[in-house]
């Protein structure tokens, strides 16, 4: 049973560029959430996708956008990168109607903006 | 959503029992208490969840007093591999966003 997978593992971008991160949820899960984790901080919720629509959104600017595909996989896009966007980006999957607050996280993508 | 307060860091030695307490004075009636564990360069991992009294699984125990304004995660006989950050979360939205605080950085020494 495959867990949550993310690609790429690491990424280095320059200010102003755009980036796309990818996530495949755990088998059987239909909901994908994205989180940003700065060094030494807890993960911060970006948004959540279910049935190919954004269902909830955290306090992140419109530069952050996403997509969910019919096979439940998801992408996170960040435009006009800033130095402050450097962080670990985590994808988490869950099953709608599943246990409260139980999400399965991937290993993350480490994004460095220079 | 209920705000949580937990110690920033704790030290322990192998073989000891570790108790990490989390305060959540504004917990709502339908909120659950959930703990996650995160190792360096990995995503958080769900370890235990409870609503009231005591919950035990193969990894940890969770103690919740009657007023539910705090909870204690208990790790029996820790090993070096239990060195991680432990997050206490409170909420009741099924599948909804998780609100993480700073967590407790547990360091287990030989």
């Amino acid at each position: 049973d495959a867990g949550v997978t993310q690609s790429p593992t690491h990424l280095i971008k320059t200010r102003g560029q755009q980036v796309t991160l990818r996530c495949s949820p755990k088998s059987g899960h239909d909901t994908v959430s994205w989180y940003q984790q700065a060094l030494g901080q807890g993960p911060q919720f970006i948004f959540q996708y279910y049935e190919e629509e954004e269902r909830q959104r955290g306090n992140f600017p419109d530069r952050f956008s996403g997509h969910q595909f019919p096979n439940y996989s998801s992408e996170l896009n960040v435009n006009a990168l800033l130095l402050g966007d450097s962080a670990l980006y985590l994808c988490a999957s869950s099953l709608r109607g599943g246990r409260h607050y139980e999400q399965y996280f991937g290993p993350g993508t480490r994004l460095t903006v220079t | 959503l209920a705000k949580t307060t937990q110690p920033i860091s704790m030290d322990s030695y192998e073989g000891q029992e570790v108790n990490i307490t989390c305060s959540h004075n504004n917990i709502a009636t339908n909120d659950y208490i959930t703990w996650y564990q995160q190792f360096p360069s990995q995503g958080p991992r769900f370890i235990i969840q409870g609503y009231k009294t005591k919950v035990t699984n193969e990894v940890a125990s969770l103690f919740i007093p009657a007023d539910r304004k705090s909870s204690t995660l208990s790790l029996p006989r820790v090993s070096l591999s239990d060195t991680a950050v432990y997050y206490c979360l409170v909420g009741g939205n099924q599948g909804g966003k998780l609100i993480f605080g700073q967590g407790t950085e547990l360091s287990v020494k030989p």
Side-chain angles (χ1 to χ4, degrees):
Chain A
D1 180 17
V4 179
T5 59
Q6 293 186 242
S7 63
T9 306
H10 296 87
L11 203 52
I12 300 175
K13 290 287 188 177
T14 304
R15 274 181 302 175
Q17 286 189 317
Q18 178 263 344
V19 68
T20 297
L21 310 181
R22 296 177 175 80
C23 170
S24 290
K26 178 180 169 61
S27 178
H29 285 183
D30 55 10
T31 302
V32 173
S33 303
W34 286 92
Y35 296 80
Q36 179 195 65
Q37 186 173 26
L39 207 59
Q41 303 296 316
Q44 300 298 305
F45 175 78
I46 302 175
F47 43 53
Q48 183 181 82
Y49 278 82
Y50 171 68
E51 290 186 334
E52 302 179 48
E53 289 190 16
E54 183 182 295
R55 300 292 178 170
Q56 294 188 69
R57 190 177 182 91
N59 189 27
F60 279 80
D62 292 345
R63 297 187 297 109
F64 289 77
S65 63
H67 189 79
Q68 185 180 35
F69 300 93
N71 66 352
Y72 307 117
S73 66
S74 176
E75 288 182 349
L76 164 65
N77 301 292
V78 186
N79 294 322
L81 285 167
L82 304 173
L83 295 179
D85 294 331
S86 294
L88 180 67
Y89 287 85
L90 295 161
C91 168
S93 73
S94 56
L95 180 63
R96 203 72 159 181
R99 193 209 299 248
H100 298 270
Y101 264 30
E102 183 174 16
Q103 297 184 8
Y104 288 76
F105 285 79
T109 294
R110 173 71 63 186
L111 172 65
T112 302
V113 182
T114 62
Chain B
L1 294 174
K3 181 179 177 181
T4 60
T5 303
Q6 49 182 125
I8 297 295
S9 64
M10 292 181 68
D11 290 331
S12 182
Y13 291 93
E14 282 190 294
Q16 288 187 333
E17 177 184 73
V18 171
N19 295 309
I20 305 174
T21 297
C22 178
S23 297
H24 28 79
N25 292 318
N26 298 320
I27 189 168
T29 304
N30 63 346
D31 284 344
Y32 282 73
I33 299 157
T34 308
W35 286 79
Y36 277 78
Q37 173 193 55
Q38 185 176 24
F39 297 113
S41 300
Q42 293 187 26
R45 180 176 76 111
F46 173 100
I47 50 176
I48 198 166
Q49 182 182 85
Y51 183 81
K52 61 180 179 181
T53 63
K54 176 184 174 182
V55 179
T56 298
N57 61 22
E58 65 280 3
V59 177
S61 294
L62 179 59
F63 298 92
I64 305 168
D67 67 5
R68 302 197 334 120
K69 293 184 183 299
S70 67
S71 58
T72 299
L73 175 72
S74 181
L75 305 172
R77 297 179 299 282
V78 294
S79 64
L80 296 177
S81 62
D82 291 316
T83 294
V85 178
Y86 292 83
Y87 295 97
C88 166
L89 287 76
V90 174
N93 188 5
Q94 283 190 342
K97 62 183 180 182
L98 303 182
I99 307 296
F100 288 85
Q102 270 201 298
T104 297
E105 186 171 5
L106 173 65
S107 177
V108 180
K109 302 173 182 178

